[in-house]
Amino acid sequence: QKTKPGKAGRRFIYHGHVHFDDFEDEKIAEFDRFAQAKGEKVVERWGRSNVLLFLQGCSYKPQETFEAMVNYEKWRNESIPIQLTDKTESMLKKGVIYLT
């Protein structure tokens, strides 16, 4: 589930019955304190697994992680659900994308 312990390791599985090591637990707690200082309950809202995914992607830097999560939420709120436009309808009719 993780290539090496500590910061040197890369995790590829975040969800399910996954045990985080001491380094990961500390980084999640550190980020939680950082976010709470900003008045945000990110870990509670996103879950430990998702927070760790973003932390690892941002080299465990709390500010960068926080900004990445805010940007992701903004993108998701603006992009989903996908709006049916003439262009997307044309792509669906051509069979470029299949929806079930």
Side-chain angles (χ1 to χ4, degrees):
Q1 294 175 347
K2 192 171 178 187
T3 58
K4 297 177 188 175
K7 187 175 183 177
R10 298 277 306 160
R11 176 173 295 282
F12 297 101
I13 299 173
Y14 296 87
H15 298 86
H17 299 290
V18 177
H19 175 73
F20 299 139
D21 65 22
D22 291 341
F23 173 79
E24 293 168 324
D25 284 333
E26 177 53 38
K27 290 300 181 180
I28 292 168
E30 181 183 303
F31 180 76
D32 192 31
R33 289 188 297 272
F34 174 85
Q36 285 188 22
K38 292 182 164 292
E40 298 286 339
K41 294 184 178 183
V42 178
V43 176
E44 184 179 306
R45 190 169 77 242
W46 283 67
R48 292 170 47 84
S49 297
N50 288 322
V51 168
L52 182 61
L53 181 102
F54 274 85
L55 277 166
Q56 183 175 299
C58 294
S59 301
Y60 300 99
K61 296 174 183 169
Q63 182 64 41
E64 287 183 30
T65 302
F66 187 81
E67 290 171 7
M69 294 176 94
V70 167
N71 288 334
Y72 175 79
E73 278 188 330
K74 181 181 176 195
W75 168 82
R76 190 166 166 80
N77 290 336
E78 291 172 354
S79 302
I80 298 174
I82 296 171
Q83 300 299 314
L84 185 60
T85 64
D86 290 341
K87 185 175 180 180
T88 55
E89 187 174 1
S90 172
M91 290 173 67
L92 288 169
K93 287 180 178 176
K94 289 179 184 175
V96 175
I97 300 170
Y98 294 92
L99 300 175
T100 58

